[in-house]
Amino acid sequence: MAKIAVISDVHGNVTALQAVLADARAAGCTAYWFLGDLFFPGPGAHDLLTILDALPITTYVRGNWENILFATVDGAIDRDDPIDVYATILGHYVWTHLTPSDHHRLRALPMVQRRTVNGLTYQLTHNQLTKNFGHTLMPAQDQAAFDQLAAGPADVFLYGHTHHQLVRQSSAGQLIINPGTVGMPFTQWAAFAKDLRAQYAILTTHDFDAPTVDLRRVAYDAEAELALAQAAQLPYLDLYTAQLHTGVVRTHDRPGLAAATQRHGYQAEFARLCAQFPASGHAQD
């Protein structure tokens, strides 16, 4: 038997991650699997990798926000898109708070990993096998999308990305699990919107039997997290503050992001960063 903490979508939230890991240790977890999206929009960068490295962590797959980080430093952006402007300003913050060794490590992250525990094979992705972005695996989507995820050679399929905890089956009976989000909880249902606790899952494995799944939620100190963000001079701090207080996420709100960029006067900084984009299309690590 093993107890495995499955975590995903930290999104730069150092304090939420620390709270989740304290809960996992208290619950007796002996292994940790991470499903991607470590950065943006919170203040965490190299310190988050240091926290993960202190664990017995055996998997880390690439999330879509790791891809976005590379795009913003390599210049693979739409300079007229407010989302890309926002991501570039934040991406520069993250990149400069990482080491060259971190850069190399993150670029080498795989899209999928598989682990065999107690006779069962577990497949870990951020979203789909070859596409770590999009909405096809949101909880209310068609069964066909989940059957496509479960087409690989595995018994249990773990994915993140949607920020919604989930346990369901494929049409063939395989187990599909989403642990939710450590650092960016949100919901479409207004009655649940006040629950902004960090989310993760604990799997308890059994010999040649389906694991027991414990979907967990952990309170953390949002004000301590915002104090870290302020001390680090995190860009777009007002948007991060509103997110932690209300659960409203602005990362895809083009009008809101355009207004925030204007309000903070980030246009000159964005122009400076664009002028530094590498001609090779690959930032110096």
Side-chain angles (χ1 to χ4, degrees), residues 236 238-239 255-267:
Y236 297 98
D238 56 338
L239 299 187
L257 293 178
T261 297
Q262 181 74 28
R263 184 168 64 249
H264 291 292
Y266 287 145
Q267 301 93 324

Side-chain angles (χ1 to χ4, degrees), residues 36-251:
D37 276 9
L38 188 59
F39 312 114
F40 293 88
H46 177 75
D47 48 348
L48 291 173
L49 289 171
T50 300
I51 291 170
L52 291 184
D53 287 344
L55 303 171
I57 189 161
T58 57
T59 64
Y60 181 169
V61 295
R62 179 190 295 215
N64 60 302
W65 280 95
E66 278 86 5
N67 282 357
I68 290 169
L69 174 61
F70 309 142
T72 62
V73 297
D74 293 342
I77 64 164
D78 178 350
R79 300 186 186 193
D80 297 319
D81 187 337
I83 294 175
D84 284 11
V85 175
Y86 164 82
T88 299
I89 296 291
L90 275 173
H92 177 70
Y93 165 88
V94 172
W95 195 255
T96 56
H97 285 78
L98 295 170
T99 68
S101 176
D102 295 337
H103 300 163
H104 287 290
R105 170 185 181 180
L106 292 167
R107 287 193 187 274
L109 287 173
M111 288 282 288
V112 57
Q113 289 189 307
R114 293 184 180 90
R115 293 288 180 266
T116 299
V117 182
N118 291 124
L120 295 182
T121 300
Y122 294 75
Q123 176 178 289
L124 292 80
T125 57
H126 184 66
N127 191 43
Q128 296 172 320
L129 268 171
T130 59
K131 182 181 176 183
N132 58 11
F133 58 94
H135 298 94
T136 55
L137 294 177
M138 291 294 288
Q141 291 298 319
D142 292 340
Q143 181 67 34
F146 293 92
D147 288 344
Q148 183 180 19
L149 173 69
D155 306 293
V156 181
F157 296 82
L158 304 166
Y159 77 102
H161 184 59
T162 68
H163 297 210
H164 288 77
Q165 292 179 311
L166 171 148
V167 179
R168 66 182 292 164
Q169 291 186 348
S170 71
S171 294
Q174 299 142 299
L175 191 60
I176 300 171
I177 303 164
N178 190 312
T181 172
V182 170
M184 192 188 281
F186 67 88
T187 179
Q188 282 84 19
W189 194 252
F192 303 148
K194 292 182 180 180
D195 188 354
L196 299 178
R197 290 175 295 171
Q199 306 166 8
Y200 79 110
I202 295 177
L203 305 183
T204 303
T205 67
H206 312 279
D207 288 343
F208 298 100
D209 198 1
T212 302
V213 183
D214 181 7
L215 298 178
R216 297 174 75 91
R217 299 194 175 202
V218 182
Y220 73 95
D221 189 343
E223 298 311 313
E225 174 67 12
L226 291 173
L228 285 178
Q230 185 171 23
Q233 298 183 308
L234 178 72
Y236 297 98
L237 177 60
D238 56 338
L239 299 187
Y240 192 55
T241 300
Q243 176 196 307
L244 295 195
H245 285 163
T246 68
V248 176
V249 176
R250 298 292 185 189
T251 52

